[in-house]
Amino acid sequence: MTSATASARKILTELHELMASRANAQAKLNQMVEIIGAALNSEVCSLYLLREQALELFATRGLNQSAVHVTKLALGEGLTGHIAQQVDTLNLAEAAAHPDFQYRPETGEERFHSFAGVPIIRRERAVGVICVQHVEQRRYDDVEIEALQTVAMVISELISNAELIDQEAVADLSSSSTGPARLSGLTLVKGLAFGRAVFHQPRITIEHVVADDIEVERQRVYSAFTKMREQIDDMASQAEFGVDGEHQEILKTYKMFAYDEGWSRRINAAIDSGLTAEAAIERVQQRTRMRMREIDDPLLAERMHDLEDLANRLLRIVSGQLGTAAKLGLRTDTILIARNLGPAELLEYDRRRLKGVILEEGSLTAHVTIVARAMGIPVIGRVSSIRHMVREDDEILLDSDERIVHVRPTEATLTAFESKFNQRKKRQASFAALRDEPAITKDGVPICLMVNAGLRDEVSAVNHSGAEGIGLFRTEFQFLVSATLPRRERQMRLYRDVMDAAGDKPVVFRTVDIGGDKSLPYLRKDTDQEENPAMGWRALRVALDRDGLMKVQARALLEAAAGRTLNVMFPMVAEPWEFDEAKAIFERQCQFLTDHKKMLPEKIRYGAMLEVPALAETLDILIPKISFLSIGTNDLTQFLLAADRAHPKLAERYDWLSPAILRFLARIVRNVDGSSIDLTVCGEMGGRRLSALALIGLGINRLSITPAALGPVKAMIRSINLADTKAQMSTLLSMPPEDLRGALRSWARAEGVEID
Ligand code: PEP
Ligand code: MG
């Protein structure tokens, strides 16, 4: 055992003995600062606790005793207030040099130059500060800071057990909060929501700090490390499906930290000093946090997020609290906070309880966003500091329309929000009033508006919203919500229910598009790890290689559509013969059903998605084979721009309304023109008013969009003159301005088109 560990252990033992004594609370506090001050050889040791929203000096060794219960600092005021507000440690050779330094004459602290203080944390908030001061100018060394951090943890435990202060004061501490904050991000799914923060991966509250048996704690941490390393290795080996939105780079960092001997050694040393496994992990983490903050490097800050994730994972394993918030009795006004989520993870949540989602990463066309859109849940992404700024249960106002998150909002913000909420309701009511009106341009051209769906309960939207059908039914959503591969009967029931609900309106079933960012834990791929899962073995490629999957789905679809029209569409067709192969699987199943005297659909319409650019070059071969073509702009644009649709750093770099994308789409329209097939756009682009305007101006007259966009897009269509729009698009594409979006927007506004 090192001398540092021994001295930390000595403090813990003395504090333990003190707590067992019969002294009253104030006497205990007085002795406590003496013990710590003496152990750290420090002239001053002071303890501040939060009372009535102020940090009050509760005990001190070295400062004037008359200042006890007199000196009070607001959160953020002075060095002590700074520590409590930031929930962070300070270690300063010259206290007066810090911008937040404030001199309090009643304490007599003018003689002391060096200063170190650590927050006393309870439920992620600082409820007090313990600090030491020296006459001489010197920075405290690691051992001293660690000892202070350990003491702070013990004090926190003692406070929560009401051993140091009375019950009333404990309640006061628990309700304390830091001030309001306003964070901005990227709108992923529009909407407003109010609720309380729930972490997708709940933070662990450390209940016991001092170990009863060090060997037991060492063993607990050892097995937690083994388990965590297994989990990380497992995630890396599943990376072929995109690992629920986590990126390769993060995984690499996870792996590096998980196997870092230095990290486990430091945790072990903390256990040697007498801490429980949980407290040891947290103490080491506090120390690392402080170090990383001292180094002003954005790359390191990002790595720090990774390490925080991993430390939290280790804490959850060691304390046996493994489930995500979805499994832990969700509150009814949940605003979910996560670094990122996979679509399957989001689908685990009860949508009635989930009011909004805030992600540190996220992008517009990632499938988690598409699923959230389908669930009608507002999402803001790219809020990089959210997990640091927010604590579990904090009130949150999410205004995705304005890209803003209000954390712990003031009364004034809440009132302003309420009126916005009402305005929004009015707007929605005006869109809903358009339900039975036709989507027709001012010069009399009808545009066919359909909806995208994939979840069972979305289907009712077809009838309620006035859509002309379901232009894209993402069948893989059922696979994503299932714990195991859905059997044929289950698939069949869903497809039949969907067709029943749609009545006379058509439903386009897309065969499973698994892979990319849609990972199925129960369907491991037999390839090595993929570098580029979105361009890898996914969608039709999986279905053609593992034709068992496709056969089952074909049977389910054919049986569900017995006696009716079946519209079936294949995703990620890159070459016309892939379409032939997929169709042949369906035809063989038709033959099987005929042989078994089962009823077939009255009519089968086969179609393809155009989302791999190469297919656009062979449309002359494909068109005679198909009844309809649907442009998947989410994938198509990612491939045209070579920009991963789920990559958070690229989320704002490229615009759909770029000349390259629009010219490409215009060419597809020209190539399809004159044929008898239907051409639809079913990517997210069609659900945004300005880009929908551009698409219509290119000659696309069928859109399949998210149900919430139906009203706004219909209102836009009813405000345009198609001939003028086409002429404007043709002008913009022949001599594209640098800011095509801006130019189109200005034109639309001048023409009175409803785009805002
Ligand atoms: C697309 O790629 O545009 C599309 C509609 O399919 P998905 O978003 O499911 O990949
Ligand atoms: Mg796609």
Side-chain angles (χ1 to χ4, degrees), residues 29 54 84-85 140 225 240 281 311 338 390 413 443-444 471 473 480 527 547 588 601 639 668 671 676 685 719 742 752:
L29 290 175
Q85 191 176 51
Y140 291 80
F225 258 100
E240 57 265 38
I281 296 165
V390 170
T413 313
D443 44 350
F473 189 86
L480 288 172
T527 54
D547 67 352
R588 280 196 294 276
F639 297 134
I668 298 172
N671 289 343
S676 61
M685 193 176 168
S719 71

Side-chain angles (χ1 to χ4, degrees), residues 92-112:
L92 307 168
E94 179 51 71
H98 191 282
D100 285 339
F101 175 78
Q102 254 191 33
Y103 167 58
R104 283 302 174 95
E106 74 274 12
T107 60
E109 62 183 343
E110 62 274 20
R111 293 182 300 122
F112 305 105

Side-chain angles (χ1 to χ4, degrees), residues 201-260:
Q201 298 195 319
R203 303 252 167 101
I204 303 299
T205 307
I206 295 171
E207 303 292 350
H208 299 295
V209 176
V210 183
D212 291 332
D213 182 336
I214 287 180
E215 268 322 303
V216 170
E217 300 303 316
R218 202 191 309 285
Q219 203 44 49
R220 288 178 68 218
V221 114
Y222 178 78
S223 24
F225 258 100
T226 311
K227 200 161 183 180
M228 181 184 68
R229 287 170 182 164
E230 274 168 19
Q231 285 182 0
I232 303 297
D233 292 346
D234 209 36
M235 280 159 77
S237 71
Q238 282 181 39
E240 57 265 38
F241 273 137
V243 200
D244 294 338
E246 277 160 319
H247 298 289
Q248 298 287 341
E249 200 185 320
I250 296 174
L251 270 178
K252 266 191 215 145
T253 319
Y254 277 4
K255 209 162 175 166
M256 186 184 85
F257 285 133
Y259 283 92
D260 176 20

